[in-house]
Structures are given as structure tokens and as C-alpha cells.
Coordinates of all heavy atoms in Angstrom, one line a residue:
M1355 N -16.7 141.9 181.2 CA -15.9 143.1 181.1 C -14.7 143.0 182.1 O -14.8 142.4 183.2 CB -16.8 144.3 181.6 CG -16.2 145.6 181.6 SD -15.4 146.1 180.0 CE -16.8 146.3 179.1
L1356 N -13.6 143.5 181.6 CA -12.3 143.5 182.4 C -12.5 144.4 183.6 O -13.1 145.4 183.6 CB -11.2 144.0 181.5 CG -10.7 143.2 180.3 CD1 -9.6 143.9 179.7 CD2 -10.3 141.8 180.8
S1357 N -11.8 144.0 184.7 CA -11.6 145.0 185.7 C -10.4 145.8 185.4 O -9.6 145.5 184.5 CB -11.3 144.2 187.1 OG -10.1 143.5 186.9
C1358 N -10.2 146.9 186.2 CA -9.1 147.8 185.9 C -7.7 147.0 186.1 O -6.8 147.2 185.4 CB -9.1 148.9 186.9 SG -10.4 150.1 186.4
K1359 N -7.7 146.1 187.1 CA -6.6 145.3 187.4 C -6.2 144.5 186.2 O -5.0 144.4 185.8 CB -6.8 144.5 188.6 CG -5.5 143.9 189.3 CD -5.9 143.3 190.5 CE -4.6 142.6 191.0 NZ -4.8 141.7 192.2
E1360 N -7.2 143.8 185.6 CA -7.0 143.0 184.5 C -6.5 143.8 183.3 O -5.6 143.4 182.5 CB -8.2 142.2 184.1 CG -8.5 141.1 185.1 CD -9.9 140.5 185.0 OE1 -10.8 141.3 184.6 OE2 -10.1 139.3 185.2
A1361 N -7.1 144.9 183.1 CA -6.9 145.8 182.0 C -5.4 146.3 182.1 O -4.6 146.2 181.0 CB -7.7 147.0 182.0
T1362 N -5.0 146.7 183.2 CA -3.5 147.2 183.3 C -2.6 146.0 183.1 O -1.5 146.2 182.6 CB -3.2 147.9 184.7 OG1 -3.8 147.0 185.7 CG2 -4.0 149.2 184.8
L1363 N -2.9 144.8 183.6 CA -2.1 143.7 183.4 C -2.0 143.5 181.9 O -0.9 143.2 181.4 CB -2.7 142.5 184.0 CG -1.9 141.2 184.0 CD1 -0.6 141.4 184.8 CD2 -2.8 140.0 184.6
L1364 N -3.1 143.5 181.2 CA -3.0 143.2 179.7 C -2.1 144.3 179.1 O -1.4 144.0 178.2 CB -4.5 143.3 179.1 CG -5.2 142.0 179.2 CD1 -6.5 142.2 178.5 CD2 -4.4 140.9 178.5
M1365 N -2.2 145.6 179.6 CA -1.5 146.6 178.9 C 0.0 146.4 179.1 O 0.8 146.7 178.2 CB -1.9 147.9 179.6 CG -3.1 148.5 179.1 SD -3.4 150.2 179.8 CE -4.9 149.9 180.7
S1366 N 0.4 145.9 180.3 CA 1.8 145.6 180.5 C 2.3 144.4 179.6 O 3.4 144.4 179.0 CB 2.2 145.5 181.9 OG 1.6 144.3 182.4
Q1367 N 1.4 143.4 179.5 CA 1.7 142.3 178.7 C 1.8 142.6 177.1 O 2.6 142.1 176.4 CB 0.7 141.2 178.8 CG 0.8 140.6 180.3 CD -0.2 139.5 180.4 OE1 -1.1 139.2 179.6 NE2 -0.1 138.8 181.6
E1368 N 1.0 143.6 176.8 CA 0.9 144.1 175.4 C 2.3 144.6 175.0 O 2.6 144.5 173.8 CB -0.1 145.2 175.4 CG -0.4 145.7 174.0 CD -1.3 146.9 174.1 OE1 -1.3 147.7 175.1 OE2 -2.2 147.2 173.1
Q1369 N 3.1 145.1 175.8 CA 4.4 145.6 175.5 C 5.4 144.4 175.1 O 6.3 144.6 174.3 CB 5.0 146.4 176.6 CG 4.1 147.4 177.2 CD 3.9 148.6 176.4 OE1 4.6 148.9 175.5 NE2 2.7 149.3 176.6
D1370 N 5.1 143.3 175.6 CA 6.1 142.2 175.5 C 5.6 141.1 174.6 O 6.4 140.3 174.1 CB 6.3 141.5 176.9 CG 6.8 142.6 177.9 OD1 7.6 143.4 177.5 OD2 6.5 142.6 179.0
R1371 N 4.3 141.0 174.4 CA 3.8 139.9 173.6 C 2.6 140.4 172.8 O 2.0 141.4 173.2 CB 3.4 138.7 174.4 CG 2.1 138.9 175.2 CD 1.8 137.5 175.9 NE 0.7 137.8 176.8 CZ -0.6 137.5 176.5 NH1 -0.9 137.1 175.3 NH2 -1.6 137.8 177.4
R1372 N 2.3 139.7 171.7 CA 1.1 140.1 170.9 C -0.1 139.5 171.6 O -0.2 138.3 171.9 CB 1.3 139.4 169.5 CG 0.4 140.0 168.5 CD 0.8 139.5 167.1 NE 1.9 140.3 166.6 CZ 1.7 141.3 165.8 NH1 0.4 141.7 165.5 NH2 2.7 142.0 165.3
L1373 N -1.1 140.4 171.9 CA -2.3 139.9 172.6 C -3.2 139.1 171.6 O -3.2 139.5 170.4 CB -3.0 141.1 173.1 CG -2.3 141.9 174.2 CD1 -3.2 143.1 174.7 CD2 -1.9 141.1 175.4
G1374 N -4.0 138.3 172.1 CA -5.0 137.6 171.2 C -6.1 138.6 170.8 O -6.3 139.6 171.5
M1375 N -6.8 138.2 169.9 CA -8.0 139.0 169.5 C -8.9 139.4 170.6 O -9.3 140.5 170.7 CB -8.7 138.2 168.3 CG -9.9 139.0 167.7 SD -9.4 140.3 166.6 CE -9.6 139.3 165.1
G1376 N -9.3 138.4 171.3 CA -10.3 138.6 172.4 C -9.7 139.5 173.5 O -10.4 140.4 174.0
E1377 N -8.5 139.4 173.7 CA -7.8 140.2 174.8 C -7.8 141.7 174.3 O -8.0 142.6 175.0 CB -6.4 139.8 175.1 CG -6.4 138.4 175.7 CD -5.0 137.9 175.9 OE1 -4.2 137.9 174.9 OE2 -4.7 137.3 176.9
R1378 N -7.4 141.8 173.0 CA -7.3 143.2 172.4 C -8.7 143.9 172.4 O -8.8 145.1 172.8 CB -6.8 143.1 171.0 CG -5.3 143.0 170.9 CD -4.7 143.7 169.7 NE -5.5 143.2 168.4 CZ -5.0 142.2 167.7 NH1 -3.9 141.6 167.9 NH2 -5.8 141.8 166.6
I1379 N -9.7 143.2 172.1 CA -11.0 143.8 172.0 C -11.5 144.1 173.5 O -12.0 145.2 173.7 CB -12.1 142.8 171.4 CG1 -11.7 142.7 169.9 CG2 -13.4 143.3 171.6 CD1 -12.5 141.6 169.2
A1380 N -11.2 143.2 174.4 CA -11.7 143.4 175.7 C -10.9 144.7 176.4 O -11.5 145.5 177.0 CB -11.3 142.2 176.6
L1381 N -9.6 144.7 176.0 CA -8.9 145.9 176.5 C -9.3 147.2 175.9 O -9.5 148.2 176.6 CB -7.3 145.7 176.2 CG -6.4 146.6 176.6 CD1 -6.5 147.0 178.1 CD2 -5.0 146.3 176.3
R1382 N -9.6 147.2 174.6 CA -10.0 148.4 173.9 C -11.3 148.8 174.4 O -11.5 150.1 174.7 CB -10.2 148.0 172.4 CG -10.0 149.2 171.5 CD -10.2 148.9 170.1 NE -9.8 150.1 169.3 CZ -8.9 149.9 168.3 NH1 -8.4 148.7 168.1 NH2 -8.5 151.0 167.7
L1383 N -12.3 147.9 174.7 CA -13.5 148.3 175.2 C -13.4 148.9 176.7 O -14.0 149.9 177.0 CB -14.4 147.1 175.4 CG -15.2 146.7 174.1 CD1 -16.0 145.4 174.4 CD2 -16.1 147.7 173.7
H1384 N -12.5 148.3 177.4 CA -12.4 148.8 178.8 C -11.8 150.2 178.8 O -12.2 151.1 179.5 CB -11.5 147.9 179.6 CG -11.3 148.3 181.0 ND1 -12.1 147.9 182.0 CD2 -10.5 149.3 181.6 CE1 -11.8 148.5 183.1 NE2 -10.7 149.3 182.9
V1385 N -10.8 150.4 178.0 CA -10.2 151.8 177.8 C -11.1 152.8 177.3 O -11.0 153.9 177.7 CB -8.9 151.6 176.9 CG1 -8.4 153.0 176.5 CG2 -7.8 150.9 177.6
L1386 N -12.0 152.4 176.5 CA -13.1 153.4 176.0 C -14.0 153.9 177.1 O -14.4 155.0 177.1 CB -14.0 152.6 174.9 CG -13.5 152.7 173.5 CD1 -14.5 152.0 172.6 CD2 -13.5 154.1 173.0
I1387 N -14.3 153.0 178.0 CA -15.3 153.4 179.1 C -14.6 153.8 180.4 O -15.3 154.3 181.3 CB -16.3 152.3 179.3 CG1 -15.6 151.0 179.8 CG2 -17.2 152.0 178.2 CD1 -16.5 150.1 180.6
C1388 N -13.3 153.6 180.5 CA -12.6 153.8 181.7 C -11.5 154.9 181.5 O -10.5 154.7 181.0 CB -12.0 152.5 182.3 SG -11.2 152.8 183.8
A1389 N -11.8 156.1 182.0 CA -10.9 157.2 181.8 C -9.6 157.0 182.5 O -8.5 157.3 182.0 CB -11.5 158.5 182.4
G1390 N -9.6 156.4 183.7 CA -8.4 156.1 184.4 C -7.4 155.2 183.6 O -6.2 155.5 183.5
C1391 N -7.9 154.1 183.1 CA -7.1 153.2 182.3 C -6.7 153.8 180.9 O -5.6 153.6 180.4 CB -7.8 151.8 182.1 SG -7.9 151.0 183.6
N1392 N -7.5 154.6 180.5 CA -7.2 155.4 179.2 C -6.0 156.2 179.5 O -5.0 156.2 178.6 CB -8.4 156.3 178.9 CG -8.4 156.7 177.4 OD1 -7.3 156.6 176.8 ND2 -9.4 157.3 176.9
N1393 N -6.0 157.0 180.6 CA -4.8 157.8 180.9 C -3.5 157.0 181.1 O -2.5 157.3 180.6 CB -5.1 158.6 182.1 CG -5.9 159.9 181.8 OD1 -5.8 160.4 180.7 ND2 -6.6 160.3 182.9
Y1394 N -3.7 155.9 181.8 CA -2.6 155.0 182.2 C -2.0 154.5 180.9 O -0.8 154.4 180.7 CB -3.1 153.8 183.0 CG -2.1 152.9 183.5 CD1 -1.3 153.2 184.5 CD2 -2.0 151.7 182.8 CE1 -0.4 152.2 184.9 CE2 -1.0 150.8 183.1 CZ -0.2 151.0 184.2 OH 0.7 150.1 184.6
R1395 N -2.9 154.1 180.0 CA -2.3 153.5 178.8 C -1.6 154.5 177.9 O -0.6 154.2 177.3 CB -3.5 153.0 178.0 CG -3.2 152.3 176.8 CD -4.3 151.5 176.1 NE -3.8 150.4 175.3 CZ -4.2 150.2 174.1 NH1 -5.2 150.9 173.5 NH2 -3.6 149.2 173.3
R1396 N -2.1 155.7 177.9 CA -1.5 156.8 177.1 C -0.1 157.1 177.7 O 0.9 157.2 177.0 CB -2.3 158.0 177.2 CG -2.1 159.0 176.0 CD -3.1 160.1 176.0 NE -4.5 159.7 176.0 CZ -5.6 160.4 176.3 NH1 -5.4 161.6 176.7 NH2 -6.8 159.9 176.3
Q1397 N -0.1 157.2 179.0 CA 1.2 157.5 179.6 C 2.3 156.3 179.4 O 3.5 156.5 179.1 CB 1.1 157.6 181.2 CG 0.5 159.0 181.5 CD 0.1 159.1 182.9 OE1 0.6 158.3 183.8 NE2 -0.8 160.0 183.3
M1398 N 1.7 155.1 179.4 CA 2.6 154.0 179.2 C 3.2 154.1 177.8 O 4.4 153.8 177.6 CB 1.8 152.6 179.4 CG 2.6 151.5 179.4 SD 1.6 150.0 179.7 CE 2.2 149.6 181.3
H1399 N 2.4 154.4 176.8 CA 2.9 154.5 175.5 C 3.9 155.6 175.3 O 5.0 155.5 174.7 CB 1.8 154.7 174.4 CG 1.0 153.5 174.1 ND1 1.7 152.5 173.3 CD2 -0.1 153.0 174.5 CE1 0.7 151.5 173.2 NE2 -0.3 151.7 173.9
V1400 N 3.7 156.7 176.0 CA 4.6 157.9 175.9 C 5.9 157.5 176.5 O 7.0 157.8 176.0 CB 4.0 159.1 176.6 CG1 5.0 160.2 176.8 CG2 2.8 159.6 175.9
L1401 N 5.8 156.9 177.7 CA 7.1 156.4 178.3 C 7.8 155.4 177.5 O 9.1 155.6 177.4 CB 6.7 155.7 179.7 CG 6.5 156.6 180.8 CD1 6.1 155.8 182.1 CD2 7.7 157.4 181.1
R1402 N 7.1 154.5 176.9 CA 7.7 153.5 176.0 C 8.4 154.1 174.9 O 9.6 153.8 174.6 CB 6.6 152.5 175.6 CG 7.1 151.4 174.8 CD 7.6 150.3 175.7 NE 7.9 149.1 174.9 CZ 8.3 148.0 175.4 NH1 8.3 147.8 176.7 NH2 8.7 147.0 174.7
E1403 N 7.8 155.1 174.3 CA 8.4 155.8 173.2 C 9.7 156.6 173.6 O 10.7 156.5 172.9 CB 7.4 156.9 172.6 CG 6.5 156.2 171.5 CD 7.3 155.7 170.3 OE1 8.0 156.5 169.7 OE2 7.3 154.5 170.0
A1404 N 9.6 157.2 174.7 CA 10.8 157.9 175.2 C 11.9 157.0 175.6 O 13.0 157.3 175.1 CB 10.3 158.8 176.5
C1405 N 11.6 155.9 176.1 CA 12.6 154.9 176.4 C 13.3 154.4 175.1 O 14.5 154.3 175.0 CB 12.1 153.8 177.2 SG 11.8 154.1 178.9
R1406 N 12.5 154.2 174.1 CA 13.0 153.6 172.9 C 13.9 154.7 172.2 O 15.0 154.3 171.8 CB 11.8 153.4 171.9 CG 12.2 152.4 170.8 CD 11.0 152.1 170.0 NE 9.9 151.4 170.8 CZ 8.7 151.1 170.3 NH1 8.3 151.4 169.1 NH2 7.9 150.4 171.1
R1407 N 13.5 155.9 172.2 CA 14.3 157.0 171.7 C 15.6 157.1 172.4 O 16.7 157.3 171.8 CB 13.6 158.3 171.6 CG 12.8 158.5 170.3 CD 12.0 159.7 170.3 NE 10.6 159.3 169.7 CZ 9.6 160.1 169.7 NH1 9.7 161.3 170.3 NH2 8.5 159.8 169.1
L1408 N 15.6 157.1 173.7 CA 16.7 157.4 174.5 C 17.6 156.2 174.5 O 18.9 156.3 174.5 CB 16.3 157.8 175.9 CG 15.7 159.2 176.1 CD1 15.2 159.4 177.5 CD2 16.7 160.3 175.7
G1409 N 17.0 155.0 174.7 CA 17.8 153.8 174.9 C 18.5 153.3 173.7 O 19.5 152.5 173.8
G1410 N 17.9 153.6 172.5 CA 18.6 153.1 171.3 C 18.4 151.6 171.2 O 19.2 151.0 170.6
G1411 N 17.2 151.1 171.7 CA 17.0 149.7 171.6 C 16.9 149.2 170.2 O 17.3 148.1 169.8
G1412 N 16.2 150.0 169.4 CA 16.0 149.6 168.0 C 16.4 150.8 167.1 O 16.1 151.9 167.4
T1413 N 16.9 150.5 166.0 CA 17.3 151.5 165.0 C 16.0 151.8 164.2 O 15.5 150.8 163.7 CB 18.5 151.2 164.2 OG1 18.4 149.8 163.8 CG2 19.8 151.5 164.9
P1414 N 15.7 153.0 163.8 CA 14.6 153.3 163.0 C 14.7 152.9 161.6 O 15.8 152.9 161.2 CB 14.4 154.8 163.2 CG 15.7 155.4 163.7 CD 16.4 154.1 164.4
Ligands
LIG54 ZN1 -10.1 150.7 184.1

């Protein structure tokens, strides 16, 4: 099982590269049982979306 540190590391890497199957499953499992990382992940996605919309990094 991942530690919270490993899980958050994977979450940040997830933004930049495609995770392997094993990494994705491990991360998903961790987020399922860990409320803290679940919240962290959700916030990260919200922030990412907001940045994308404001920054105009990619056209829809
Ligand atoms: Zn955690």
C-alpha cells in the first residue's frame, strides 16, 4: 500500500506523465481509503482546471 507521501507524489506526476497501470491502481486504492489524499487530489484537479481555463494553455 502506498504511503500518503508516495500517493501525493504520484498525483503530481500524474499531471505531467501517464502513470503505469500498477501506479494508477495503487493510487486509486489509496485515495479510496484515505480521505486526506482524496481531498488533496480533488483540489489538485480543480486547481488544474482553473489554471487551464485562465491560462489558455490549450484551446478546447
Ligand atoms: Zn493518503
